[in-house]
């Protein structure tokens, strides 16, 4: 069963599409049918399938999660204890807990079975740039 790891460099909070890399991995595996498992090896970012046609969707999602879970130096977040790595640290863990760190996508005819406007995204929840590792595993 093929497996690979890809690294995405982020520039701060936001959604980073990696559909092209995942599709290339599936194509190169030459497996006709199966399940692609996508797993991010971090606790302060997440994985999601989302619309990839209108960039406003990504901006609105990012804005929503920033409002839902503001930085720990916001007065509404005084209850947070874990602040060792800055005001975005614990909120990033909360956002990751509200989303997924692993997702499965069916493979049919040697291709990802995604809808017309669907793309795969790493959702970065930290302010500073990071290198994020994502494991892609294709099995029957």
């Amino acid at each position: 069963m093929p497996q690979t790891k890809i690294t995405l460099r982020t520039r701060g909070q936001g959604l980073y599409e990696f559909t092209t890399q995942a599709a290339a991995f599936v194509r190169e595996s030459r497996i006709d049918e199966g399940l692609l498992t996508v797993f991010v090896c971090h606790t302060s970012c997440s994985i999601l399938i989302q619309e990839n046609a209108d960039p406003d969707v990504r901006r609105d999602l990012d804005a929503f999660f920033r409002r839902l879970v503001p930085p720990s130096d916001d007065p509404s977040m005084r209850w947070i204890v874990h602040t060792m790595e800055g005001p975005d640290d614990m909120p990033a863990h909360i956002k990751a807990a509200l989303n997924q760190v692993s997702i499965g996508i069916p493979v049919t005819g040697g291709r990802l079975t995604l809808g017309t406007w669907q793309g795969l995204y790493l959702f970065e929840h930290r302010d500073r740039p990071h290198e994020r590792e994502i494991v892609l595993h294709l099995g029957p």
Side-chain angles (χ1 to χ4, degrees), residues 52-129:
N52 64 359
D54 186 351
D56 287 343
V57 172
R58 295 186 298 278
R59 281 192 284 275
D60 288 347
L61 277 170
D62 188 38
F64 169 76
F65 276 94
R66 286 175 189 258
R67 291 180 72 181
L68 183 66
V69 187
S72 63
D73 56 4
D74 183 280
S76 68
M77 301 296 276
R78 287 192 195 125
W79 56 271
I80 287 183
V81 177
H82 178 72
T83 59
M84 286 179 69
E85 295 179 43
D88 69 325
D89 186 20
M90 190 61 213
H93 292 294
I94 294 169
K95 292 173 189 176
L98 293 171
N99 290 288
Q100 303 171 89
V101 295
S102 181
I103 195 165
I105 302 107
V107 171
T108 307
R111 304 180 80 176
L112 292 171
T113 308
L114 291 171
T116 303
W117 308 115
Q118 289 183 321
L120 289 167
Y121 289 90
L122 171 89
F123 198 173
E124 176 64 70
H125 303 305
R126 297 299 304 268
D127 289 333
R128 66 181 174 82

Side-chain angles (χ1 to χ4, degrees), residues 13-62:
Q13 291 191 45
L15 287 99
Y16 297 84
E17 188 171 8
F18 64 97
T19 311
T20 302
Q21 294 98 313
F25 168 71
V26 169
R27 190 173 45 255
E28 291 164 10
S29 75
R30 300 183 192 272
I31 292 178
D32 192 51
E33 290 189 1
L35 182 69
L36 176 68
T37 301
V38 180
F39 175 78
V40 64
C41 304
H42 305 278
T43 60
S44 56
C45 60
S46 52
I47 297 289
L48 68 143
I49 293 175
Q50 196 47 254
E51 178 179 325
N52 64 359
D54 186 351
D56 287 343
V57 172
R58 295 186 298 278
R59 281 192 284 275
D60 288 347
L61 277 170
D62 188 38

